[in-house]
Amino acid sequence: MTRLAQISLLRPAGAAHRLHALVLDRHDKPFVWGIRDCCLWAADAAHAVTGRDMASDLRGCYWSARQAARLVRDHGGMESMVTARMGEPIDVSEAIDGDVCLLRPEVHECIPGLGALGVLWRGSILAQGDKGLAVRRINNATTWWGANP
């Protein structure tokens, strides 16, 4: 059975609708550290499709780029932090809407030197930008994680 078939059976009913509603809500909302940044965008999207808040312990812990960088470094870096919360990375060929990725720093960087997270949505990556969600190509990601319930 493919990952898509497995996840479609495991994800809570309405997961696709919740993700769509989140994208519509966030598409034009500006970047705010600790509220609407790349890490919390990815966590909010994963929460929409899994029902699990993988960043509950991070919310309210930082309000600046410096604090966010310290938090990520304290968790071993962006890749280590996401892997601890979402499990081992998956192959891009298995990624489905709502899955999370680490973007190449030269393409989109939320925390200088640490990268940014994005979310797969209808064949593209959506990442939190200064004035709302920014669209990036799939090949701009280095690592993918499945948003598994």
Side-chain angles (χ1 to χ4, degrees):
M1 182 181 283
T2 67
R3 179 171 179 272
L4 177 59
Q6 290 173 340
I7 296 302
S8 63
L9 293 174
L10 295 174
R11 283 188 173 172
H17 295 291
R18 285 189 300 280
L19 181 59
H20 188 181
L22 181 65
V23 169
L24 290 175
D25 179 61
R26 297 283 179 82
H27 85 280
D28 64 348
K29 298 271 183 359
F31 187 102
V32 179
W33 286 109
I35 298 173
R36 282 187 305 276
D37 57 48
C38 70
C39 290
L40 293 181
W41 156 246
D44 290 345
H47 183 253
V49 297
T50 67
R52 292 186 308 130
D53 185 359
M54 298 176 204
S56 61
D57 62 322
L58 303 178
R59 297 180 192 279
C61 291
Y62 64 97
W63 302 104
S64 69
R66 186 176 178 182
Q67 290 173 328
R70 185 179 319 120
L71 187 79
V72 171
R73 283 190 195 103
D74 288 350
H75 283 88
M78 193 75 81
E79 194 167 335
S80 176
M81 183 174 77
V82 178
T83 299
R85 293 158 192 282
M86 298 188 73
E88 290 301 312
I90 62 171
D91 189 82
V92 64
S93 65
E94 297 178 336
I96 59 175
D97 284 356
D99 287 345
V100 173
C101 66
L102 179 62
L103 290 159
R104 297 180 192 285
E106 63 273 12
V107 174
H108 193 102
E109 193 166 48
C110 181
I111 303 172
L114 297 175
L117 299 178
V119 174
L120 184 63
W121 173 251
R122 297 187 176 175
S124 295
I125 298 169
L126 296 180
Q128 182 65 53
D130 290 340
K131 297 179 179 169
L133 296 179
V135 179
R136 303 289 182 237
R137 292 185 305 216
I138 297 293
N139 63 353
N140 289 324
T142 61
T143 310
W144 288 88
W145 293 272
N148 303 324

